[in-house]
Amino acid sequence: MGSSLSRNYMIGNMIYILTEDANGKVGVTLSKELSLVAGEALKTNVIKLGPLVVPNAEKLRFFTNLVQRKVLNIQIAPYVPDFKLAFDHICIHAGGKAVLDKVENSLKLTKQQLEPSRMTLYRFGNTSSSSLWYELAYLEAKGRIKWRDKVSQVAFGSGFKCNIAIWQALRTIDPALEKNPWMDELAMHSSHFPCSHD
């Protein structure tokens, strides 16, 4: 499932600005408005995807809200389905602390649900959408992926795009049998580390 908000926002100047730091190195700075655009793109996807994946009780809440807004013209906010009920694990594009904070608040995620994303940002920095695979590897290394678990991967991209992939585990992952980027250093990376990357 994907959405693009390029027509709705002046994206070019919001996403990045080439800047020079105090040491004379040129780099990319992501603007603060990016987290707002990310939140809107995510909201669009969640509204589209929600009826397809959430439990029936959530579908009923979503449908009731839709009828109230569109048929009865009641001025209420759109209902955002509770993704926490549809998935066992959620991997959010670790594009920066502000983006993770916005997604955490928008979806009302717990600290544990966002732990793989924050730990990936802390350890690897912003690796773009490849951060999702580091997050999945983190869950595997921690022994959290069980047979039939559902994992949602939420990625953001230029343009501005938001895509959500949904996976189901075909087996329980035994960390003792796995090799991934977290295995050698997992004990060193406690979930209590602050996230310092922006």
Side-chain angles (χ1 to χ4, degrees):
M1 176 72 61
S3 64
S4 175
L5 298 181
S6 58
R7 293 185 198 135
N8 301 340
Y9 295 94
M10 295 200 44
I11 299 300
N13 293 329
M14 272 198 223
I15 299 299
Y16 68 90
I17 304 163
L18 288 177
T19 57
E20 189 172 310
D21 68 10
N23 298 325
K25 294 187 178 183
V26 177
V28 175
T29 300
L30 299 176
S31 73
K32 298 295 181 190
E33 289 84 10
L34 179 61
S35 65
L36 299 174
V37 178
E40 283 301 312
L42 178 61
K43 182 175 153 184
T44 300
N45 269 8
V46 168
I47 289 171
K48 288 180 188 175
L49 186 62
L52 302 174
V53 298
V54 296
N56 287 334
E58 286 295 292
K59 290 178 187 178
L60 182 59
R61 287 184 189 101
F62 178 84
F63 180 72
T64 301
N65 178 274
L66 185 67
V67 168
Q68 289 173 327
R69 289 183 300 110
K70 301 295 183 182
V71 177
L72 302 176
N73 292 320
I74 297 173
Q75 298 297 317
I76 57 173
Y79 178 73
V80 178
D82 189 349
F83 258 33
K84 295 178 290 194
L85 301 175
F87 305 106
D88 300 292
H89 310 285
I90 300 176
C91 299
I92 306 294
H93 176 135
K97 184 181 182 308
V99 171
L100 292 178
D101 290 346
K102 180 70 175 177
V103 172
E104 179 181 25
N105 292 332
S106 295
L107 295 180
K108 297 176 179 65
L109 299 175
T110 66
K111 299 293 183 197
Q112 183 177 357
Q113 287 170 318
L114 216 56
E115 179 185 323
S117 302
R118 292 202 186 276
M119 292 307 299
T120 296
L121 182 60
Y122 175 79
R123 180 168 180 215
F124 297 105
N126 181 353
T127 60
S128 192
S129 58
S130 67
S131 67
L132 297 172
W133 300 109
Y134 290 114
E135 294 168 34
L136 184 58
Y138 180 85
L139 290 166
E140 291 175 345
K142 288 284 222 171
R144 294 185 185 163
I145 301 294
K146 308 294 183 209
W147 179 64
R148 299 192 64 140
D149 275 2
K150 290 182 185 170
V151 179
S152 173
Q153 291 181 314
V154 180
F156 300 107
S158 64
F160 189 90
K161 296 176 186 80
C162 176
N163 291 290
I164 299 176
I166 301 165
W167 304 93
Q168 187 167 29
L170 299 177
R171 63 183 173 92
T172 296
I173 303 298
D174 182 353
L177 303 176
E178 295 299 312
K179 285 188 175 189
N180 74 41
W182 290 97
M183 299 310 294
D184 295 337
E185 300 181 27
L186 190 60
M188 293 172 44
H189 294 281
S190 163
S191 61
H192 301 293
F193 279 105
C195 184
S196 60
H197 297 339
D198 282 325

